Amino acid sequence: MTARRTGRRPGNPDTRDAILAAARTAFAERGFDAASIRAIATTAGVDPALVHHYFRTKEELFRATVAIPIDPAELLPRVLAGGRDEVGARLVRTFLGVWDSPVGTAAVALLRSAVSNQWTARLLREFLTTQILRRVLDQLDLDPAEAPLRGSLVSTQLAGLAMMRYVIRLEPVASATPDTLVATIGPTLQRYLTGPLDQS
Amino acid sequence: MTARRTGRRPGNPDTRDAILAAARTAFAERGFDAASIRAIATTAGVDPALVHHYFRTKEELFRATVAIPIDPAELLPRVLAGGRDEVGARLVRTFLGVWDSPVGTAAVALLRSAVSNQWTARLLREFLTTQILRRVLDQLDLDPAEAPLRGSLVSTQLAGLAMMRYVIRLEPVASATPDTLVATIGPTLQRYLTGPLDQS
């Protein structure tokens, strides 16, 4: 099947934008797993090869739609290396490392957009689920019946940390050192990931 | 000192709006404690008695500026009654009770606005700090050196819960029963409030 052409050529910035717009719609409407490069190319009016020319992989295209300049596939092995007993602390430290860096500005913008825009919210949800949580949960060898709840509990704590530290700027969390936050919030993530879930 | 008059009279909806606008500015710029009814009345061009006519107390005026139709002074005694050992669980249950009720719609709107608007962010920060956290921390008789960090850690977890459950709608947290969330998140709040803070 040949994709519909609209005269867009490689190297044309409009082409890249058209692919991104089509991808954003596809990922938000169908989710990361169900969206196909072929369908995105068809919507954008380009050949699938051109999508791969601009964005090497489906993951890379997805990261571009949410404007996230980090690659979880590179960061997460650091979090997961060194055994599961310290994964909570390492997750907080890695998270703060990203948000405290220049990349944090883009992350704050994404969070703002996700809260005010249903489509960005869907994209962020897909990003969290398929690019971050799935990878962490797979590596920790958790009970599949509990893994989704554990992952979403981790998300609540990290999203709230980002919100209060970087957006609302509530003190003293806004100016706390990474060490303080690792020591206080690390055990929470550790319990959500590997501890007993029901402590009632 | 007589406040400057601009011909606004009691019963005029413009008067109430003018007071609210002046209060919003005052609370965001000066904070809840430093903002005075007298100064707000002067900015709005009305007599201070008129501010009390529309909004009985400074707390009530503040809640009106953030459009929060609940009164923490009524809710929090329920959370704090029954001893400090179960305060984490009761805090989660009360929080979900508010957000799962019709009032939750206003709360989601406030959260959205706080994330996209610096002024609403300041108002929300002031509301959290002076109307909720201060009351909870006072009642729990905590070490004053640790209380602010404990309070802001609680805020990170509750803000993230609201964000993921009601705004981003990440599953399974979005559809989890209150019992599940009380059992899993309650212990986190309990540790933030009364447990050892440094577990590293």
Side-chain angles (χ1 to χ4, degrees), chain B residues 105-129:
Chain B
T105 311
V108 170
L110 175 65
L111 191 63
R112 287 214 158 99
S113 172
V115 168
S116 56
N117 181 297
Q118 277 298 327
W119 270 36
T120 317
R122 284 194 211 174
L123 286 172
L124 180 61
R125 197 169 57 205
E126 277 295 301
F127 184 79
L128 270 173
T129 308

Side-chain angles (χ1 to χ4, degrees), chain B residues 63-149:
Chain B
R63 287 206 310 279
T65 65
V66 285
I68 291 186
I70 58 149
D71 182 354
E74 280 177 23
L75 275 177
L76 289 177
R78 272 190 252 166
V79 173
L80 298 164
R84 51 190 279 159
D85 289 347
E86 293 290 325
V87 68
R90 283 197 308 273
L91 192 49
V92 178
R93 196 172 295 282
T94 306
F95 185 83
L96 293 173
V98 171
W99 286 77
D100 285 337
S101 79
V103 167
T105 311
V108 170
L110 175 65
L111 191 63
R112 287 214 158 99
S113 172
V115 168
S116 56
N117 181 297
Q118 277 298 327
W119 270 36
T120 317
R122 284 194 211 174
L123 286 172
L124 180 61
R125 197 169 57 205
E126 277 295 301
F127 184 79
L128 270 173
T129 308
T130 66
Q131 306 299 300
I132 300 188
L133 296 178
R134 186 187 291 173
R135 286 192 168 106
V136 173
L137 299 172
D138 280 356
Q139 292 294 317
L140 291 177
D141 195 26
L142 302 171
D143 177 353
E146 291 184 341
L149 179 60

Side-chain angles (χ1 to χ4, degrees), chain A residues 112 115 157 184 188 191-192, chain B residues 112 115 184 188 191-192:
Chain A
R112 287 214 158 98
V115 168
Q157 177 58 85
T184 51
T188 300
R191 185 169 64 80
Y192 288 163
Chain B
R112 287 214 158 99
V115 168
T184 51
T188 299
R191 184 169 65 80
Y192 288 163

Side-chain angles (χ1 to χ4, degrees), chain A residues 86-105:
Chain A
E86 294 290 324
V87 68
R90 283 198 308 272
L91 193 49
V92 177
R93 196 171 296 281
T94 305
F95 185 82
L96 292 172
V98 171
W99 285 77
D100 286 336
S101 79
V103 167
T105 312

